[in-house]
Amino acid sequence: MRAHKINLTLAVEEHILSGKPITTLEAIVLFGVPDISKSVQKLRKTGWRIELKKIPYARAVVRLNEHAVLTPPPSLPTREILLTEYQLKT
């Protein structure tokens, strides 16, 4: 079971290193990783510069819907809810 966890966090790290942004919501849905902070911390310790910024929930949903189907409840204020996005700083 431990090897499976390592492979999932490795997928998140590879996603970030490919230059693609990611939020915790995307990490959960796409990779099954509920906490990406350890992956980000590991990358930073090895010298990678990871920047973070706040993005609307709606933007993350648009990106997710390229790979999966996620339909938030109509009453959810998707433009007001902010998520932290992590991305490799170039």
Side-chain angles (χ1 to χ4, degrees), residues 13 16-17 22 36-53 84-89:
E13 292 165 17
I16 293 170
L17 291 176
I22 192 165
I36 60 175
S37 63
K38 288 182 180 162
S39 293
V40 170
Q41 182 181 14
K42 179 181 171 188
L43 291 172
R44 285 180 172 155
K45 279 186 176 183
T46 58
W48 293 100
R49 295 180 65 197
I50 309 296
E51 64 182 5
L52 56 100
K53 65 180 180 180
T84 302
E85 174 186 79
Y86 300 89
Q87 187 169 18
L88 186 65
K89 186 168 183 172

Side-chain angles (χ1 to χ4, degrees), residues 15 20-31 36 53-72 76-86:
H15 182 89
K20 298 174 189 169
I22 192 165
T23 63
T24 301
L25 177 65
E26 292 166 304
I28 292 169
V29 174
L30 297 176
F31 303 111
I36 60 175
K53 65 180 180 180
K54 298 290 186 180
I55 65 164
Y57 183 94
R59 186 179 304 167
V61 170
V62 168
R63 285 199 312 237
L64 269 171
N65 282 334
E66 294 173 7
H67 307 283
V69 178
L70 179 67
T71 308
L76 191 67
T78 57
R79 286 179 171 62
E80 289 81 28
I81 297 172
L82 297 177
L83 300 174
T84 302
E85 174 186 79
Y86 300 89

